[in-house]
Amino acid sequence: DQQVKQNSPSLSVQEGRISILNCDYTNSMFDYFLWYKKYPAEGPTFLISISSIKDKNEDGRFTVFLNKSAKHLSLHIVPSQPGDSAVYFCAASANTGNQFYFGTGTSLTVIP
Amino acid sequence: GAVVSQHPSWVICKSGTSVKIECRSLDFQATTMFWYRQFPKQSLMLMATSNEGSKATYEQGVEKDKFLINHASLTLSTLTVTSAHPEDSSFYICSASSLLWTGGNQPQHFGDGTRLSIL
């Protein structure tokens, strides 16, 4: 059973515009969420995280929003750059042993 | 900081061979290491969690006699795929975290993965 879902397998955005990647989860015990970026044949790289006590966390061009009632989080990238083209995974943890559950990923393509 | 090194990055071997993959935390003590497997266009599937000095905890459906995990030190964990067959071909990724980190929740840090191809 997939506890973390990314329903859009791919997304294309024009350079300079905003990229919005979405993630839904089912386990109400999740209280820590992360986004990872992954290039082909490489391991995921940590991008940004958010704790359930917040609804927004910003780091440069990257902002993560958390809507606990909807069990939904999103990653906003603005402005999008060609180097942002990668697969983005969201992950969630219930902080009961630091096991993370990953979504299936969204492949972002930023068109120059 | 928090660099995880995984070796080898790519290995091709014959069916029936055993293959060892190493995962090292270079600048921190990894009290916990995780091993994932990723099939093309699919999510990262957790195979097992290992705490230093303890036996690994395997996820349901993962054969512990097939995928041997050792985490004998705070900086090294190994995954050995025993008697590998073509269906074991996949991308294997390790990650590490530390219970010694302060400041609340902490992300896992990943190695670059190992592409295993069994002929």
Side-chain angles (χ1 to χ4, degrees), chain A residues 23-101:
Chain A
C23 180
D24 297 291
Y25 61 96
T26 58
N27 190 339
S28 58
M29 298 300 291
F30 288 150
D31 60 2
Y32 183 52
F33 306 87
L34 310 93
W35 284 94
Y36 283 89
K37 178 180 178 179
K38 184 180 181 301
Y39 294 113
E42 292 184 12
T45 303
F46 169 69
L47 202 55
I48 193 169
S49 66
I50 188 167
S51 163
S52 61
I53 61 173
K54 294 185 175 182
D55 53 19
K56 177 183 175 182
N57 189 25
E58 191 172 351
D59 183 2
R61 296 185 298 113
F62 303 92
T63 303
V64 56
F65 294 92
L66 175 63
N67 182 333
K68 291 185 288 295
S69 60
K71 295 192 181 67
H72 176 84
L73 65 154
S74 61
L75 174 68
H76 292 210
I77 306 173
V78 56
S80 301
Q81 299 173 355
D84 296 329
S85 298
V87 177
Y88 289 79
F89 289 95
C90 67
S93 167
N95 199 29
T96 54
N98 66 357
Q99 177 180 335
F100 285 89
Y101 296 85

